[in-house]
Amino acid sequence: MRKSYGNIIFRAEAVDWPFEAYLDYMDNTADESPLYLFDHQFVEKMNLVVDKNGDYCVPECFGQDFLASLGENRPDSRWLIIGPERSGSTFHKDPNATSAWNAVIRGSKYWIMFPTSRAYPPPPGVYVSEDQSEVTSPLSIAEWLLEFHAEARATPGCIEGICHAGEVLHVPSGWWHLVVNLSPSIAITQNFVPQAHLAEVLAFLRDKPDQVSGFKKEITDPYSLFMQKMTEQHPEILQKAVQQLERVKEGRKRKWDDLVNGHDKHEDLHDNSNGFSFGFGDAEEGENDVP
């Protein structure tokens, strides 16, 4: 790669520099949290062909990607990731409620992940604003591992593991994840929208426009554009997702009405009191994370 792409400019966090310079940095850094090359234009910069007969292809096991309906207006969704040992990313969720896959080409990566649900708090050491627009994790990856790793591993919902070269990991929509390279690593990742999480993506684009990211500046209403393209290309699948959103909305309205009115069907059978009780189902919304 040094010989073929040494003069190509890549983005490493907030720094743009020639790939050869970044490789020299990788070989010599003693930083506790080294800079992480994370470039979303690598396919164009490296003249790669993405298909079955090209340089790489999207794994078929993840099914149809409905984000592809946007064509050239698709938001940033694929990245080349390169970094030395100790580099990585602190806890975050993938953008726009998308799911993701991460394929390790060289090296190894440690992952620790948590589902998002009312049943689970954020990971230990992670602080989230009420509308989830701001996430604060004041520690570096190394500091977090020293301070919170043991607590996190004992937290309900925690999943952890190591991905080696040739392995692919799936990150379901909305899951918190932290990643750290255990050795110098190269990986490719891509965000996608499977049918199982289409409703969550629609809700995010509709209800949190200030948190939507990755779209071209001239696209001022990503939600309407996505709805238009899905209506043109996948009307039946879109209808099912919209119906799912309506069911969720109606379910929340019923719960709210029960709380406000103090209504409890079980109590009606026995007396006329106005008390109420809280009931929780067996599964929280959003826990079905199979794409």
Side-chain angles (χ1 to χ4, degrees):
M1 289 185 69
R2 182 189 293 266
K3 182 178 180 180
S4 300
Y5 307 109
N7 294 324
I8 302 296
I9 304 298
F10 288 102
R11 169 62 59 96
E13 300 186 27
V15 181
D16 291 322
W17 49 5
F19 186 52
E20 186 168 14
Y22 181 76
L23 291 177
D24 289 339
Y25 166 80
M26 277 185 62
D27 291 340
N28 296 286
T29 183
D31 293 349
E32 179 182 284
S33 299
L35 293 176
Y36 202 30
L37 190 151
F38 205 80
D39 194 286
H40 72 276
Q41 295 179 319
F42 73 99
V43 169
E44 296 79 11
K45 292 177 179 179
M46 301 170 72
N47 295 315
L48 301 181
V49 176
V50 184
D51 64 34
K52 290 182 179 179
N53 299 315
D55 296 290
Y56 79 93
C57 64
V58 175
E60 293 181 353
C61 60
F62 297 115
Q64 188 167 6
D65 176 12
F66 292 98
L67 202 58
S69 65
L70 290 169
E72 294 182 355
N73 291 319
R74 180 183 184 129
D76 298 337
S77 58
R78 60 190 178 193
W79 289 266
L80 173 67
I81 308 172
I82 301 177
E85 181 181 349
R86 301 182 309 280
S87 63
S89 57
T90 56
F91 272 109
H92 65 284
K93 299 179 186 179
D94 282 318
N96 306 326
T98 56
S99 301
W101 56 263
N102 185 293
V104 181
I105 299 171
R106 178 177 296 180
S108 58
K109 293 174 174 288
Y110 170 76
W111 292 75
I112 184 166
M113 305 168 60
F114 294 85
T116 294
S117 166
R118 290 190 299 274
Y120 300 112
V126 176
Y127 308 96
V128 185
S129 63
E130 185 174 353
D131 64 356
Q132 298 192 14
S133 63
E134 297 183 10
V135 178
T136 302
S137 183
L139 307 174
S140 68
I141 294 176
E143 290 173 319
W144 184 89
L145 289 170
L146 289 171
E147 184 72 21
F148 294 104
H149 192 214
E151 178 184 351
R153 298 179 79 180
T155 299
C158 174
I159 294 177
E160 61 177 340
I162 297 173
C163 281
H164 300 278
E167 297 180 331
V168 180
L169 180 133
H170 171 226
V171 182
S173 171
W175 279 51
W176 293 101
H177 50 287
L178 174 149
V179 192
V180 60
N181 287 332
L182 302 180
S183 61
S185 299
I186 303 173
I188 291 174
T189 188
Q190 180 163 319
N191 295 95
F192 67 101
V193 178
Q195 184 174 351
H197 292 292
L198 177 58
E200 287 99 316
V201 173
L202 290 173
F204 188 94
L205 296 177
R206 181 194 63 192
D207 300 336
K208 300 181 178 181
D210 58 319
Q211 298 179 37
V212 173
S213 64
F215 285 88
K216 299 174 183 176
K217 292 182 179 179
E218 57 266 28
I219 298 176
T220 57
D221 189 353
Y223 170 71
S224 295
L225 178 62
F226 192 36
M227 288 288 288
Q228 174 192 335
K229 296 299 183 182
M230 287 295 297
T231 300
E232 294 171 356
Q233 300 173 37
H234 309 286
E236 294 182 359
I237 291 173
L238 176 62
Q239 183 180 17
K240 291 180 181 178
V242 171
Q243 290 172 346
Q244 182 181 345
L245 287 177
E246 288 299 319
R247 288 195 297 270
V248 171
K249 181 179 179 181
E250 287 301 315
R252 289 174 177 169
K253 183 177 184 299
R254 284 196 299 271
K255 290 179 182 178
W256 175 251
D257 288 344
D258 286 347
L259 291 174
V260 170
N261 297 324
H263 183 69
D264 189 320
K265 293 180 180 179
H266 297 290
E267 290 185 356
D268 289 345
L269 296 175
H270 301 289
D271 59 51
N272 294 322
S273 66
N274 291 324
F276 64 88
S277 63
F278 292 97
F280 297 90
D282 293 333
E284 293 288 333
E285 295 169 17
E287 286 189 354
N288 179 13
D289 291 303
V290 179

